[in-house]
Amino acid sequence: MRPERDPLGQPLPDAVGPQRLVVLGSSGSIGTQTLDVAAWQGHEVVGLVGGRRADELVAQAHRWRPAAVSCAAEVADAVRPRLPAGTRLLVGEAGAAEVAAMEADVVVAAIPGFRGLAPTRAALRAGRHVALANKEAMVCAGALVWAEAQAHGARLTPVDSEHAGLYQTLLGEPLEGVAALVLTASGGPFRTGPANLAAVTPEQALAHPTWRMGPKVTIDSATLFNKGLEVLEAAFLFRMPLERIEVVVHPQSLVHALVRFHDGSVKAQLGPHDMRLPIQYALHAPERPPVPLAPLPLEGTWTFERPDTGRFPALAAAYAAGHKGGDAPLRLNAADEVAVEAFLTGRLRFTGIADVLADALAHATARTPGWDDLDALDAEARALAGEAVRRAGARGPA
Ligand code: MG
């Protein structure tokens, strides 16, 4: 029998058929894979928010014939004349927010980073079911996001594979029986070497062993900061204290999450490392329509090990930010966005990322920001992180 409520306390839908989708971040990794799922399951796409990839957005508009698309102002002239008849073009942040609030069944919030928060909020305020891939929304404004969802009758389902795994594992379980949530981490490309991480290049860090993802999240996987963000995301999403959220390194990336229960039992969610599966589940939960993919092979060696927070201090920094509370998670996220960009453009060593995070934690305060404070705090944290990057750069090469 289907439970009445999901693990986030929200009512479950009676039946889920083909839906009208809005995809925020349609030309990114999650966005393009969402459109694969839309093709599998016969969903309609009514709105697309792209960024600066004009050719990709135009091709998506011709394939899906949405009522509206939105793009960055600097590519609007390249997009406008090439759109199909009947597709309206909106521009910039206001355009993204307008598409996010369009009449639709599900909004897939897949614009990465802090800048994904505003259009995610617009979808929540319109009362939509939001399939949340923008983990930074939960990290930077978890309580605000929940309050907005409840005020407007919006529903949230997680797209992040670990959180989708937890959601599936918890479904139908009384939450008072839950002892701990366990997120798996691949360990990234530097799990076993090299010994000196100060000298690794962006090319090495971008070569993720299992998952196919955008550059920011791939670097975050190499530092384990992505897992740190996911710990904070899980704490806010499932309203679980940090003491009850664990991380285990599982290089094969086939077990996505586990739940420890008070009776000593552990339940896990497994699946191929293909983001289209958690995306589809976020759209269809609790239903499981078939997919055109090979079944998960069970042969082979699956290993689990403790994360090395000495080698990967960014994970510990995220826990520290969660324990500090207040504006610490938002500041840490902003600092990481600045630090990763600096690393990718050759201005910061790989190990300098953790130094910039430590600097952000030192500036954190106990004051929990409201919606009106978020942009100014994010800007301040970015400016401080920029200074920390310059100081680290001034110290010279490793
Ligand atoms: Mg993940």
Side-chain angles (χ1 to χ4, degrees):
M1 209 184 81
R2 178 177 297 194
E4 272 177 28
R5 292 195 173 263
D6 77 0
L8 307 180
Q10 308 169 115
L12 281 167
D14 290 331
V16 185
Q19 318 235 10
R20 294 166 303 163
L21 305 184
V22 166
V23 184
L24 312 179
S26 67
S27 54
S29 173
I30 298 292
T32 54
Q33 296 184 77
T34 297
L35 295 176
D36 287 351
V37 173
W40 289 350
Q41 303 302 341
H43 297 307
E44 186 187 346
V45 176
V46 298
L48 295 170
V49 174
R52 290 175 186 80
R53 290 182 208 152
D55 293 345
E56 187 137 23
L57 186 59
V58 168
Q60 289 177 346
H62 281 273
R63 163 70 179 82
W64 292 99
R65 302 289 172 132
V69 304
S70 170
C71 66
E74 57 262 41
V75 298
D77 288 342
V79 171
R80 191 175 288 109
R82 296 156 65 200
L83 286 178
T87 297
R88 204 156 61 98
L89 180 67
L90 297 151
V91 172
E93 284 178 23
E98 192 174 335
V99 175
M102 281 175 66
E103 187 62 40
D105 298 308
V106 188
V107 177
V108 179
I111 297 174
F114 179 80
R115 69 197 173 86
L117 177 55
T120 300
R121 184 188 185 196
L124 293 170
R125 289 174 74 91
R128 301 288 171 257
H129 168 190
V130 174
L132 188 69
N134 174 227
K135 62 188 84 181
E136 294 86 353
M138 269 293 149
V139 171
C140 297
L144 296 173
V145 164
W146 268 127
E148 204 76 292
Q150 273 150 7
H152 298 279
R155 175 179 169 221
L156 286 166
T157 51
V159 167
D160 215 342
S161 60
E162 298 78 2
H163 306 74
L166 289 170
Y167 184 102
Q168 293 172 62
T169 307
L170 289 166
L171 190 68
E173 292 285 353
L175 291 182
E176 52 274 21
V178 174
L181 308 180
V182 187
L183 307 173
T184 59
S186 69
F190 305 133
R191 184 176 60 87
T192 56
N196 178 16
L197 286 175
V200 300
T201 64
E203 291 68 32
Q204 289 172 296
L206 285 169
H208 196 273
T210 48
W211 290 101
R212 168 169 76 95
M213 305 176 293
K216 164 69 165 59
V217 62
T218 304
I219 300 303
D220 283 344
S221 295
T223 60
L224 291 201
F225 188 69
N226 181 55
K227 210 50 54 182
L229 285 177
E230 291 179 355
V231 166
L232 296 170
E233 180 188 8
F236 285 116
L237 189 69
F238 294 98
R239 299 170 176 97
M240 187 68 72
L242 280 178
E243 298 73 27
R244 292 166 62 190
I245 302 178
E246 303 173 17
V247 172
V248 66
V249 174
H250 166 54
Q252 295 80 21
S253 301
L254 299 172
V255 178
H256 303 306
L258 310 92
V259 175
R260 294 183 187 279
F261 294 94
H262 286 305
D263 67 356
S265 188
V266 178
K267 268 172 83 176
Q269 190 268 334
L270 291 64
H273 37 79
D274 186 317
M275 279 309 296
R276 294 175 295 184
L277 300 184
I279 292 167
Q280 174 167 305
Y281 190 79
L283 299 179
H284 288 261
E287 295 181 359
R288 298 183 180 278
V291 298
L293 292 178
L296 174 68
L298 295 175
E299 307 79 16
T301 306
W302 298 14
T303 57
F304 298 89
E305 59 195 63
R306 209 179 266 282
D308 181 349
T309 49
R311 185 167 164 81
F312 300 106
L315 176 59
Y319 271 100
H323 284 297
K324 268 195 153 178
D327 61 15
L330 180 145
R331 286 178 179 274
L332 196 71
N333 176 71
D336 183 66
E337 291 193 25
V338 170
V340 168
E341 177 64 24
F343 170 66
L344 284 172
T345 52
R347 290 177 290 121
L348 185 68
R349 292 192 302 267
F350 184 79
T351 45
I353 296 172
D355 298 334
V356 176
L357 297 180
D359 183 78
L361 275 181
H363 287 95
T365 75
R367 204 169 64 86
T368 301
W371 282 114
D372 294 342
D373 310 319
L374 294 176
D375 286 340
L377 265 175
D378 178 70
E380 183 195 310
R382 279 168 199 274
L384 289 168
E387 286 170 28
V389 166
R390 280 187 289 278
R391 283 198 304 274
R395 285 203 297 269

